[in-house]
Amino acid sequence: DSDLTKQLRRQVIGMLGRANDDAVIAEASRRFQQSMHENTVLPSDFRADVFRLHITTTSEPELAFAHLTQLYHASSTEPDVKLEIVYAMGLFPQPLVKQRVLEWGLQNVRPQDMSMPFAGVAATAAGASVAWAYVQANWDLLNAQYPNPRLVGRILNASIRALKTDTDATDVETFLLPRQHAAYSRSVEETLESIRIKHVVATRDAPRLRQWLE
């Protein structure tokens, strides 16, 4: 297939999956399980969507977690595939599994890639609460393990980006007040500004949108 066809396929699968199309979700799970049983890597044009759809809907997260960690450690797995894996692992909806992913990541993922599992965990507002709580509880550990403050800044921004309210932004500011580092202070300020803008827009437009949908 041409590159354009592959790109179109990826976009269509992604959109149908986000629309909770039963057939697409079932096929994604079938492909994931086939890859798991045959110990093979999925094609790049739909791999990320298969990961996402199966991980967010499976009733057996432990099996999926075990397969992805095994695939991550396989010597034949390319670096770009490893990045997709660690991001996808964060998408498990169960809070305890999300926390386990972060703990696994600290032991197994390269420092320069560690923001990816945090980004996956925090891809939703509910997940961002898990990631942000983990960052607060393990702040000293993260700074000790990653002495380069830029790496900590990337983890921090990945963890808070999907927070939704002005209260969330204020909580982050309060926590960071005695801890902020110049290496990432600007990027954190931009992230907090984005959170506050989203909160203002949602507060302003949500009632009218709800009324229109009714």
Side-chain angles (χ1 to χ4, degrees):
D1 293 339
S2 69
D3 289 341
L4 286 177
T5 299
K6 292 179 180 179
Q7 183 179 358
L8 177 61
R9 181 187 298 120
R10 182 166 57 247
Q11 291 175 344
V12 171
I13 291 173
M15 287 187 291
L16 288 173
R18 289 181 177 86
N20 296 320
D21 184 276
D22 290 338
V24 169
I25 292 173
E27 179 62 16
S29 288
R30 188 189 72 80
R31 296 289 184 108
F32 185 96
Q33 290 167 359
Q34 181 182 32
S35 170
M36 181 171 61
H37 294 146
E38 297 177 358
N39 198 27
T40 56
V41 177
L42 291 159
S44 60
D45 52 331
F46 57 77
R47 180 172 54 235
D49 285 306
V50 167
F51 283 166
R52 176 178 60 82
L53 292 172
H54 181 75
I55 284 170
T56 56
T57 59
T58 182
S59 60
E60 298 178 312
E62 292 297 327
L63 286 178
F65 182 94
H67 170 61
L68 290 173
T69 56
Q70 180 182 7
L71 186 60
Y72 180 85
H73 287 299
S75 59
S76 59
T77 302
E78 297 292 334
D80 60 327
V81 179
K82 290 190 174 188
L83 289 178
E84 290 185 3
I85 289 170
V86 295
Y87 178 84
M89 288 174 68
L91 299 176
F92 284 105
Q94 300 86 354
L96 289 179
V97 181
K98 285 181 177 294
Q99 183 167 334
R100 182 182 174 193
V101 167
L102 296 179
E103 292 169 350
W104 174 87
L106 290 175
Q107 300 299 319
N108 294 277
V109 177
R110 299 186 306 172
Q112 61 266 39
D113 298 335
M114 191 54 207
S115 62
M116 293 299 287
F118 277 92
V121 167
T124 63
S129 296
V130 174
W132 172 230
Y134 188 90
V135 167
Q136 293 176 86
N138 295 277
W139 182 257
D140 292 339
L141 171 64
L142 291 171
N143 281 272
Q145 184 156 337
Y146 307 116
N148 182 344
R150 295 186 183 277
L151 296 180
V152 176
R154 290 170 61 185
I155 290 172
L156 175 60
N157 277 297
S159 300
I160 66 175
R161 191 167 289 123
L163 294 174
K164 297 175 62 176
T165 70
D166 183 68
T167 300
D168 291 332
T170 300
D171 288 344
V172 174
E173 285 179 330
T174 301
F175 177 82
L176 291 178
L177 190 60
R179 302 174 176 89
Q180 185 86 296
H181 195 286
Y184 52 79
S185 59
R186 180 67 178 272
S187 63
V188 170
E189 288 175 3
E190 292 173 351
T191 301
L192 294 177
E193 181 181 10
S194 176
I195 293 170
R196 289 191 163 107
I197 290 173
K198 288 186 292 184
H199 174 72
V200 169
V201 172
T203 302
R204 182 193 65 198
D205 295 343
R208 286 182 293 178
L209 180 59
R210 189 178 300 111
Q211 183 179 15
W212 180 77
L213 290 172
E214 292 173 350

